[in-house]
Each structure stands twice: as structure tokens, then as C-alpha cells.
Amino acid sequence: IDAGGLPMADVGLGDSIALNGACMTVVEKTATGFTVDVSRESLNKTVGLDTTTEVNLEKALTLAERLGGHLVSGHVDGLGVVRKFEPVGESHELVIEAPRELAKYLAYKGSVVVNGVSLTVNRVSDTASGCEFSINLIPHTIQVTTLKHLKAGSKVNLEIDLIARYVERMLSLNVAN
């Protein structure tokens, strides 16, 4: 993978870098890029890792860094389908249909990761097959991510909010005291 503008000086073998939201392990490194091994499981559960195309890259967060976004782990939870991607004023509206198993984790002003880009949900509507959620993409996000290439019908990798995942687990436990 050509790392583009991603600084590689602090990346070592065994480090994690997310490709379109899917966490991968660096197995080889150069000054300007790196190599990963992609398992069949990753290819079966994601979209965009089986072709030669642009990808969104993100290094793993260290405890010494500021947290400037949402808490995510680079583990794709499912696939969504773009239903609408259109300019609205200076921004773009992105509407994605999420599968039923992820619908309960999507909330107004909550976070979701689309192809490795952590975003804020502006609207959620339940549907027979799951839910549709809307995101407003500012010009900067369009400029610096691969989301600019999306169109109606595109499949996308989705990761739900880490905190929502733990809350759901805690609420589902049936522990006798």
C-alpha cells in the first residue's frame, strides 16, 4: 500500500493500520508504504480490500495522543449500502442503509464509521430491513477521504460506536445476584 501522506517513520512491523476501517497488521514497511496480509475472513466481511483502489488509512491510536474523534477499533461490524449521495449547499448528504443487526446501535448525534471515516449521524429512520441513516459531509471530509467516490448502490464498511457495543452487552446480561 502506498501510504500517500501518512507519515511512516513511527510505524513498525506488527503495528496496526486500518484500511477503509478494517484493522490490518503491517508485515513489511518502506519509507513510503507498507504491506499487509489480508485473510479470507476479512475479504468475506468487508468491501474494497480485494481491488487496487484508493483507501482511507488510519494508524492505531496511542495513549499519548489527543482523542479528537470517536472511539472506534478498526473492526468492521457489517456492510451498508449507499442510498443517496448528493450535494446540499457546500456540503454533501450521505444516506446509508444499515442491516437490521446494526440498526439498534445507530442514534441521532451518535457516531458511526463509514469506510474507516468516523462521522456523526444526523438522522435515523427505521426500515423493514434495518435502518437508513444520514450524515452531513463537510468539504474537508470530501477532499481528504475516499468518500467522494461513493454513489447510490455503493457498498460500504460500517463500524458501530465502541461504547454502544459495550452498553448493549451490559444490558443483555442476565446475571443472578
Side-chain angles (χ1 to χ4, degrees):
I1 293 117
D2 178 346
L6 187 72
M8 295 296 295
D10 62 341
V11 174
L13 295 182
D15 284 358
S16 295
I17 297 180
L19 309 173
N20 276 356
C23 187
M24 298 291 151
T25 302
V26 175
V27 297
E28 291 181 31
K29 179 193 155 197
T30 67
T32 60
F34 60 98
T35 301
V36 299
D37 291 328
V38 181
S39 70
R40 173 53 44 201
E41 177 71 3
S42 291
L43 292 173
N44 290 344
K45 301 287 184 185
T46 61
V47 65
L49 299 182
D50 59 349
T51 73
T52 302
T53 187
E54 287 183 304
V55 291
N56 295 312
L57 299 175
E58 185 169 19
K59 292 189 272 187
L61 178 71
T62 69
L63 295 178
E65 296 177 61
R66 285 183 18 195
L67 181 60
H70 306 122
L71 292 174
V72 296
S73 61
H75 300 150
V76 174
D77 293 300
L79 298 180
V81 178
V82 174
R83 293 297 175 214
K84 178 177 161 185
F85 183 57
E86 296 177 356
V88 177
E90 293 181 6
S91 299
H92 281 72
E93 181 185 24
L94 175 61
V95 177
I96 297 172
E97 182 178 6
R100 181 182 317 277
E101 62 269 16
L102 298 185
K104 65 184 171 184
Y105 300 110
L106 294 160
Y108 173 69
K109 297 300 179 194
S111 60
V112 64
V113 179
V114 178
N115 283 354
V117 181
S118 183
L119 302 161
T120 301
V121 175
N122 286 337
R123 180 181 50 81
V124 179
S125 301
D126 292 322
T127 66
S129 60
C131 75
E132 285 189 356
F133 62 95
S134 175
I135 298 166
N136 180 60
L137 299 176
I138 63 172
H140 176 76
T141 303
I142 296 293
Q143 181 183 4
V144 301
T145 70
T146 65
L147 299 180
K148 63 182 155 270
H149 303 302
L150 295 176
K151 59 184 180 241
S154 296
K155 289 185 179 180
V156 292
N157 296 321
L158 298 176
E159 179 183 346
I160 53 130
D161 179 73
L162 187 63
I163 294 171
R165 193 182 315 216
Y166 283 109
V167 169
E168 194 272 334
R169 172 70 175 139
M170 288 185 289
L171 293 175
S172 70
L173 285 177
N174 186 8
V175 179
N177 292 331

